[in-house]
Amino acid sequence: MKYSKIRSKLTRWFQYYFVFSKAALLISALVFSHSLVEHAVVDVLMSYITDTWKNVHLNVAAVAVNTYEVTSTIAVVLLAHASDAYFGHFKMILITTKTYILGLVLLWITGTKIWLLVVALVLISVGTAGKEPPLKEFLVDQLRRHEQSLDGNNEIRVQARTEVWWRFWWCLGSITATFAFSAVDWPNTFKVVIVVMFVAYWLFRFGEGLPYCQSPTSEENQTGKQEASASPLSLAYRVLKAAIMKRHLHYPDASKFFKNDSGELILLPNIPFFRWLDKAAIVDPSSLSPEEQEKQGKLCSVAQVKEIKYLLKMVPMWATFLVYGLVEATGSTFFVEQTSNLRSPITDSFVDIVIAFNAMKSLTSFIVPYLYELLIQRRWSDGRQKQGGLLVRIGVGMVSSVLCCCAAWLVEVRRLSMVEIEGVDSDVEIRMSILWLVPQFLLS
């Protein structure tokens, strides 16, 4: 009886989180290849640059890696806009994957040509930006097709299946990178990852004939052409443009707002600095009808204005993630260089140890959100309690960033003292285990 209950729970758990989808399997090949490339190459770019260009100063290498990360972050926003507004997820995935492969090829043949390295890093940054949101949103589209209806419970199940499916193949790629590249030099590493991504690209390309969902935010006008209005960036542009064009108008009563179903006189959130955005929803008393004004981009609905106001309200909170960004930048540069003269108890090659550390980070990022959802989020059914739980999760992440910096500081103090005691250069191996770096990699 006890085993039957356990088996029943496992069956229900499996049916909740997993569903067979041919399109999702094709997407999984790309997820696996992205994970393999990121752990085998991208996460250890600092090591590649310092190994290939012996005369390059560490500061220059760090600037190159951080510039790549900034470019990748900016590309994520731009590609998400282009995917939602113009290309759709499928075409954007094809474009970014080809760009990724080209960047890897250039990085492989750079030799000592700095300009080729710069071009390769730009192309790779565009390729990595194609991972999220286009690829992940496309996976959501495929899993959503298996639901008969899209009520709240089904949508939650779709998101849960997406996370499990995504993180399973991502962790599989990171584990493969850890064991497959333990004693492989850089040229052979590039050959393997390029072949894997090329094969994954063509597997995904074979799915072009399968029925798939376009971007859920895309809209079509009367001519059948996709409109860009549904993209968040396009919507923000339209609201700002309409508000500036109507800056001379006075605030009317609630009936003059376009599609003001709630009858609000002051559109929420009530932030004085953003009150001028409300004018984007004012119907201009001209000869044009409200529908024609909306078609020409001169009028926005109340819901659109409120959406942009809520979005701008989050800007101060986004600024707090600057500290988190500094920790991320440190993890991809300083943490990697710390391993250069530490003794490895596992292997003589330190590159695979760094890959193992990054794989450990991926596994942690998979386990922690799941435990949070299982132990905390599900126990809070009230919406306000769930919002408070999300803030707790963000706070715990920030505290972990502080602890990560403290751990890295203490380890570096010990490392430098060992270098001084042994009287060797900073790049000569010392009697200090590389496992001292485990806490800071886990906390990052």
Side-chain angles (χ1 to χ4, degrees), residues 349-415:
S349 175
F350 81 95
V351 176
D352 65 322
I353 297 298
V354 178
I355 295 176
F357 284 161
N358 287 303
M360 184 173 55
K361 287 173 57 178
S362 296
L363 184 61
T364 304
S365 65
F366 169 71
I367 294 176
V368 171
Y370 180 75
L371 291 178
Y372 168 81
E373 176 71 21
L374 181 64
L375 301 177
I376 299 178
Q377 192 76 354
R378 290 185 181 180
R379 298 180 182 274
W380 292 350
S381 57
D382 183 71
R384 183 171 298 180
Q385 287 181 336
K386 286 189 175 182
Q387 184 178 7
L390 182 60
L391 294 177
V392 169
R393 178 177 172 180
I394 295 175
V396 170
M398 290 185 171
V399 171
S400 298
S401 298
V402 175
L403 296 177
C404 172
C405 294
C406 294
W409 167 54
L410 294 174
V411 171
E412 182 63 8
V413 168
R414 176 178 173 82
R415 189 183 73 86

Side-chain angles (χ1 to χ4, degrees), residues 40-41 44 47-48 51-52 108 184-191 351:
V41 177
V44 289
S47 300
Y48 171 72
D51 289 347
T52 306
W108 174 28
V184 180
D185 56 6
W186 286 113
N188 289 322
T189 297
F190 283 116
K191 291 178 185 178
V351 176

Side-chain angles (χ1 to χ4, degrees), residues 409-425:
W409 167 54
L410 294 174
V411 171
E412 182 63 8
V413 168
R414 176 178 173 82
R415 189 183 73 86
L416 292 178
S417 64
M418 292 290 292
V419 170
E420 184 177 355
I421 291 173
E422 297 186 12
V424 297
D425 295 333

Side-chain angles (χ1 to χ4, degrees), residues 16 147 149-160 386:
Y16 182 86
E147 300 298 332
S149 61
L150 285 178
D151 56 21
N153 292 330
N154 286 349
E155 185 61 27
I156 292 175
R157 182 165 56 191
V158 167
Q159 296 297 330
K386 286 189 175 182

